[in-house]
Amino acid sequence: MIILDGKKTSADIKEEIASEVKQIKARGERVPHLAAILVGTDGASMTYVNAKVKACDLVGFDSTLIDLPEATSEADLLKHIHDLNTNPEIDGFIVQLPLPKHIDEHKVLIAVDPDKDVDGFHPTNVGRMALDLPCFLPATPFGILELLERYNVETSGKNVVVMGRSHIVGRPMSILMSQKRPAGNATVTVVHSRTHNLEDITKGADIIVAAIGISEFLTGDMVKDGVVIVDVGITRVPDDSKKRGYRLAGDVDFESVSKKASHITPVPGGVGPMTIAMLLKNTLLARSSS
Ligand code: GUN
């Protein structure tokens, strides 16, 4: 069984990016600059955004964190987005999701300049992705493709089951893996909360991408021998034996599934670090096309 090590792979990618930053600096040019907007104090979101800012430092990017209170109005948030759109020093930016309930997420995402939308969430980038046109790919699916490619996991003609249909992971993942591309050319099935006979479908999968947000949902009896497992889930499960009061769990029951899998991503240390590496990659791309 091979661990698809996202921590190690993302470190390799960050090294590659850092060496490109060195070359940019050597040419006397401005280094890439990523901004992140965080609204509110959701614990997981704060952790993710801080990790993104730290990763910028590591590779030599400039970064700006715009930390707004929970009560920020939609109009105020849109004003911050406008400022970033028109600031020539900023190459790309993200608005961390989820947003507080009083803010319309769609309104916010369409306000981001598609050329600075390094999350790849703007309808222009989603449409371009679906049409195989150059665009910013959403970082988590992009990271999964990169991980599969770097570990030489064959996807062409394979039965891929994507569990979940979220705009951030499941939907783009299903589109990308069906396309003619590295880590693509797969026969893709999307399963979700209304799917009948789920186990029959997961048992037929050569590769499973689990992105439903239910901890340890996929168990060993639901998969076949030799399956490749990509676990996108990361849920805080209460655990009194831990100092912080919780442990991190994926959507996959690692204990039982890893006994059957040929390859599997751990949680943490699998998909999560890849997401951050690919956000940096998109920011570098935004800098080179500015
Ligand atoms: N929330 C969970 N994943 C993501 C992501 O990739 N980008 C943003 N902006 N918010 C998220």
Side-chain angles (χ1 to χ4, degrees):
M1 195 265 297
I2 294 170
I3 294 283
L4 297 169
D5 187 344
K7 203 169 164 193
K8 152 98 179 52
T9 309
S10 71
D12 293 346
I13 295 169
K14 283 189 266 189
E15 255 180 44
E16 292 159 19
I17 294 172
S19 94
E20 294 210 31
V21 173
K22 274 197 192 121
Q23 291 172 36
I24 293 172
K25 274 190 182 156
R27 292 195 299 269
E29 294 169 8
R30 185 175 63 71
V31 300
H33 189 159
L34 173 72
I37 303 180
L38 173 66
V39 188
T41 53
D42 175 73
S45 289
M46 283 163 68
T47 307
Y48 297 144
V49 169
N50 288 332
K52 289 170 186 179
V53 169
K54 209 170 122 194
C56 283
D57 286 348
L58 188 82
V59 298
F61 286 6
D62 285 336
S63 64
T64 297
L65 172 59
I66 300 174
D67 198 348
L68 302 173
E70 179 85 16
T72 303
S73 69
E74 188 178 280
D76 250 6
L77 176 56
L78 291 172
K79 167 85 173 58
H80 280 284
I81 291 173
H82 173 77
D83 290 347
L84 293 173
N85 281 341
T86 52
N87 183 344
E89 300 286 311
I90 300 289
D91 298 295
F93 67 98
I94 64 157
V95 181
Q96 188 65 27
L97 303 178
L99 289 166
K101 290 208 169 33
H102 64 276
I103 297 176
D104 180 339
E105 183 180 297
H106 181 66
K107 254 196 205 165
V108 167
L109 295 183
I110 60 169
V112 176
D113 178 348
D115 291 334
K116 293 191 177 189
D117 170 37
V118 285
D119 255 336
F121 292 169
H122 190 284
T124 295
N125 281 315
V126 179
R128 292 182 68 88
M129 175 195 67
L131 294 169
D132 301 285
L133 294 169
C135 62
F136 294 116
L137 294 181
T140 301
F142 192 10
I144 294 170
L145 295 179
E146 192 72 23
L147 196 57
L148 293 173
E149 210 184 321
R150 290 190 185 225
Y151 275 88
N152 298 310
V153 173
E154 181 61 82
T155 58
S156 182
K158 300 294 180 188
N159 287 327
V160 171
V161 171
V162 175
M163 301 177 71
R165 52 184 163 179
S166 73
H167 293 164
I168 296 183
V169 185
R171 180 71 41 75
M173 201 67 241
S174 64
I175 294 170
L176 289 163
M177 290 201 76
S178 71
Q179 288 176 330
K180 283 187 191 163
R181 60 160 63 244
N185 293 309
T187 304
V188 180
T189 305
V190 180
V191 299
H192 46 75
S193 52
R194 305 294 169 91
T195 296
H196 293 267
N197 304 324
L198 178 70
E199 276 193 43
D200 292 344
I201 301 168
T202 54
K203 273 183 187 151
D206 302 307
I207 301 170
I208 298 178
V209 179
I212 51 173
I214 305 174
S215 60
E216 291 157 355
F217 179 86
L218 188 78
T219 48
D221 53 338
M222 296 168 75
V223 303
K224 70 176 181 186
D225 279 325
V227 67
V228 175
I229 299 286
V230 177
D231 189 351
V232 184
I234 184 150
T235 312
R236 292 180 177 192
V237 177
D239 185 341
D240 290 339
S241 73
K242 304 271 181 217
K243 215 156 78 188
R244 57 188 180 184
Y246 66 86
R247 67 184 171 89
L248 295 173
D251 289 352
V252 175
D253 177 40
F254 189 90
E255 169 73 18
S256 59
V257 174
S258 62
K259 291 196 175 99
K260 286 179 139 181
S262 66
H263 300 70
I264 186 166
T265 61
V267 176
V271 173
M274 291 301 293
T275 298
I276 294 180
M278 302 326 274
L279 176 66
L280 298 175
K281 195 134 190 170
N282 278 345
T283 307
L284 183 63
L285 200 67
R287 175 68 188 96
S288 0
S289 47
S290 66

